[in-house]
Amino acid sequence: MIRTDLAEKIEALGIRDEELDKILEKALAGGEVKDEEQYDEWLGNRFLPNTVLIGKEQYAEMCVSALKIVSHVAATDYGASRQRDMGQLWADMIRGYLG
């Protein structure tokens, strides 16, 4: 595990060492960083500022809000002729809200 001066911020997010190792591994594999020396900069300038935490209550509220409008959304599966069922439409709406 790479130790950084960002350890307190990472700990405040509730990210365990094993999870952070996986995140850093994927950042390297995905080309976000070129080597381990860039981890501090990437964590401080890209990862942490773009991390959003959603609590259980907020997630539940968002799911209910998506359910309220799902009946007013076209069920067309864009790019195909089939229609999405309500469950798939709701799941898509939830993913859209999360995005």
Side-chain angles (χ1 to χ4, degrees), residues 63-76 82-95:
C63 290
V64 170
S65 295
L67 185 58
K68 287 178 183 176
I69 67 163
V70 79
S71 64
H72 305 290
V73 176
T76 303
R82 72 182 193 91
Q83 299 288 302
R84 296 176 286 180
D85 63 30
M86 185 173 172
Q88 183 180 4
L89 195 55
W90 187 29
D92 291 346
M93 187 67 61
I94 291 170
R95 279 193 296 276

Side-chain angles (χ1 to χ4, degrees), residues 6-94:
L6 303 168
E8 291 97 24
K9 289 181 183 177
I10 292 166
E11 187 176 313
L13 290 175
I15 299 174
R16 298 188 318 260
D17 284 349
E18 305 84 44
E19 292 170 326
L20 181 59
D21 288 342
K22 186 63 115 178
I23 290 168
L24 295 175
E25 175 187 321
K26 296 299 179 182
L28 185 60
E32 287 282 322
V33 295
K34 298 200 184 310
D35 56 43
E36 293 180 357
E37 294 175 9
Q38 294 180 326
Y39 281 154
D40 281 348
E41 181 182 346
W42 177 78
L43 282 168
N45 296 328
R46 301 252 311 152
F47 180 74
L48 291 174
N50 293 300
T51 299
V52 177
L53 299 178
I54 300 173
K56 289 179 184 179
E57 294 81 20
Q58 293 146 329
Y59 187 83
E61 184 178 326
M62 183 262 319
C63 290
V64 170
S65 295
L67 185 58
K68 287 178 183 176
I69 67 163
V70 79
S71 64
H72 305 290
V73 176
T76 303
D77 192 356
Y78 296 99
S81 61
R82 72 182 193 91
Q83 299 288 302
R84 296 176 286 180
D85 63 30
M86 185 173 172
Q88 183 180 4
L89 195 55
W90 187 29
D92 291 346
M93 187 67 61
I94 291 170

